[in-house]
Amino acid sequence: QQAAAELIQGFTLHEACKRCKQGKDLLQTMNVKDQFLANVSHEIRTPLYAINALAELCLEKPYAPQEIRGHLEMISESGTSLLGLLNDVIDVRRLEAGKLELNNQEMDVVKLARFCLKMFCKQVANKGLEGNIIYQDILCAMRLSLDKTRMQQLIVNLVSNALKFTDKGSISIRLTYDVPKEELTVRVEDTGIGIKAEHIPRLFTKFSQVANTETRLFHGAGL
């Protein structure tokens, strides 16, 4: 019995040491990941600062044609948006822990939706699609407290995905506001290939895609 007890104790100690080593390895891997994300974020931010600065300098020139000014403004605003996202890359751990804080500010959500759709105007036109913004009139006179960067990221990602899977018809951003609940709903609707009901549960599984003859035509990581 004593030998059996010592054997069990030794096995338990071995398993505890094994779990401790695995925990240390996991912590080291996470630290390496954080450092990698921080480095990548820094390396991409540097040229973006130059792009934004040059766009702003060109906008200061009074003789720039209106069409060119519109393009420069799009470059500047898109660059600023990307910078905002890059600055948050190092907060991935905080996001995973559910501790990411939102930076809310009063904003015109209809104007933001228009800007997001405008970012894809060339791609929409090239595919012969119709781009729409559908909203309640009440939203035109309202300024909602939202995190602009996160809201823009949400809309842009959805529109990008809709554009990817839509070859004819339209892509629409629909904004609705429930006054009693003070609740904004943002929907991106398209006339693309759609998704079968049985595949819907896989929508929020990382790196998961529906594999069929239609979706194989499109690339992506399944994020």
Side-chain angles (χ1 to χ4, degrees):
Q1 292 180 349
Q2 183 178 356
E6 290 177 353
L7 180 63
I8 293 173
Q9 184 178 6
F11 177 77
T12 303
L13 182 60
H14 172 73
E15 286 298 309
C17 291
K18 184 179 178 181
R19 286 194 295 270
C20 182
K21 184 178 183 303
Q22 289 175 340
K24 289 181 178 179
D25 291 343
L26 178 61
L27 182 61
Q28 183 177 3
T29 300
M30 294 176 73
N31 288 335
V32 170
K33 181 191 73 171
D34 290 345
Q35 187 61 47
F36 171 75
L37 291 174
N39 289 342
V40 169
S41 175
H42 173 74
E43 293 301 325
I44 297 177
R45 276 201 307 263
T46 302
L48 266 178
Y49 282 129
I51 292 171
N52 273 17
L54 287 172
E56 292 297 328
L57 283 174
C58 291
L59 283 170
E60 292 177 0
K61 304 298 182 181
Y63 50 79
Q66 189 60 38
E67 182 180 359
I68 299 300
R69 293 186 67 83
H71 296 329
L72 289 170
E73 288 172 357
M74 180 64 68
I75 291 173
S76 178
E77 292 183 28
S78 298
T80 300
S81 174
L82 184 54
L83 278 172
L85 295 178
L86 286 172
N87 289 334
D88 290 332
V89 167
I90 57 176
D91 287 335
V92 170
R93 287 281 300 279
R94 190 179 302 173
L95 177 64
E96 292 173 345
K99 296 181 179 180
L100 183 65
E101 296 181 1
L102 297 178
N103 181 25
N104 289 342
Q105 54 183 306
E106 290 190 355
M107 55 175 291
D108 184 339
V109 70
V110 176
K111 182 179 179 180
L112 178 64
R114 286 198 181 107
F115 171 74
C116 292
L117 188 59
K118 187 178 179 182
M119 292 174 66
F120 298 93
C121 62
K122 186 173 182 180
Q123 295 98 310
V124 169
N126 288 343
K127 297 185 78 170
L129 302 174
E130 182 180 349
N132 304 305
I133 304 289
I134 305 169
Y135 54 90
Q136 295 167 295
D137 291 339
I138 189 176
L139 284 170
C140 294
M142 297 181 66
R143 294 185 66 82
L144 303 178
S145 180
L146 300 168
D147 187 317
K148 181 179 179 180
T149 299
R150 300 302 175 189
M151 179 59 70
Q152 181 171 313
Q153 181 183 16
L154 181 152
I155 297 175
V156 166
N157 285 345
L158 290 176
V159 172
S160 175
N161 207 56
L163 183 62
K164 179 180 177 181
F165 293 100
T166 305
D167 287 326
K168 59 181 180 180
S170 63
I171 295 174
S172 302
I173 301 175
R174 185 183 296 273
L175 308 172
T176 57
Y177 188 74
D178 188 320
V179 176
K181 293 182 180 180
E182 297 185 337
E183 183 177 274
L184 173 70
T185 301
V186 180
R187 291 187 177 91
V188 174
E189 305 167 349
D190 64 72
T191 56
I193 63 175
I195 182 171
K196 294 181 179 179
E198 60 265 30
H199 293 147
I200 291 178
R202 297 171 57 185
L203 282 176
F204 298 102
T205 302
K206 289 182 179 180
F207 305 107
S208 175
Q209 287 183 300
V210 177
N212 56 43
T213 55
E214 291 179 309
T215 57
R216 287 195 188 100
L217 298 174
F218 307 95
H219 300 285
L223 289 172

